[in-house]
Amino acid sequence: MCRPIRNLTQMRGYDITTHKLACFGGAGPQHACAMAKALGMTKVFVHRYGGILSAYGLSLADAVYEEQEPAAETYSYGDKLDSDPSAKVRSERLSQLAKKARSALVKQGYKEEEIMIENYLNMRYDGTDNAMMVQEPTS
């Protein structure tokens, strides 16, 4: 956990040793002192209601359920479905994944009309190793 904090502070030119480390959640205070020491900080701020506020924020968050499967297909975007030979297969696979996710959420007690499905694709340029997650374009 220290690396992300350093990336947000020291890598941007801030002197982290002059700041206080704020912690929250049920176990946050248990780990805060060790993290502050590793970061060279001398003070830790523990809010009186840190655990309650964390739980309250969690209760307000949207529920997310993800389904994914590997695929290695060539994607080409055009005006017509005919311009992308893998569009039909991709559409069928995404429909199956959506059906699985929807049934899992219904099983957890969510209503059908409350569920929103968003399709994302991990895409990369041909010949590269790094993928980028993008939302599937709508036609």
Side-chain angles (χ1 to χ4, degrees):
M1 266 320 287
C2 293
R3 185 176 296 149
I5 294 172
R6 280 194 186 103
N7 288 341
L8 290 172
T9 55
Q10 290 176 333
M11 300 295 183
R12 294 182 180 180
Y14 296 104
D15 181 13
I16 199 168
T17 60
T18 61
H19 292 82
K20 296 176 188 161
L21 181 65
C23 59
F24 58 91
Q30 295 173 350
H31 304 287
C33 292
M35 284 182 58
K37 185 176 181 181
L39 292 167
M41 302 170 85
T42 58
K43 294 186 180 181
V44 175
F45 175 71
V46 181
H47 192 277
R48 177 184 298 178
Y49 301 115
I52 295 169
L53 293 174
S54 181
Y56 178 69
L58 184 61
S59 71
L60 295 177
D62 292 333
V64 176
Y65 188 87
E66 292 184 15
E67 281 286 339
Q68 58 181 319
E69 64 180 39
E73 300 169 3
T74 302
Y75 180 89
S76 59
Y77 183 71
D79 293 337
K80 300 178 182 176
L81 286 175
D82 297 339
S83 64
D84 184 6
S86 65
K88 186 177 178 189
V89 174
R90 183 176 55 254
S91 177
E92 290 171 2
R93 291 174 79 178
L94 288 172
S95 293
Q96 289 299 321
L97 291 172
K99 195 182 294 185
K100 281 185 191 177
R102 189 177 299 278
S103 71
L105 287 169
V106 168
K107 214 182 260 188
Q108 291 178 24
Y110 294 96
K111 297 176 187 163
E112 280 277 343
E113 58 273 6
E114 294 175 337
I115 299 172
M116 182 176 73
I117 303 291
E118 294 179 350
N119 294 325
Y120 286 86
L121 306 171
N122 279 320
M123 303 185 77
R124 62 182 179 83
Y125 287 104
D126 193 24
T128 63
D129 292 332
N130 298 328
M132 179 180 6
M133 184 181 285
V134 295
Q135 191 167 9
E136 182 185 35
T138 56
S139 46

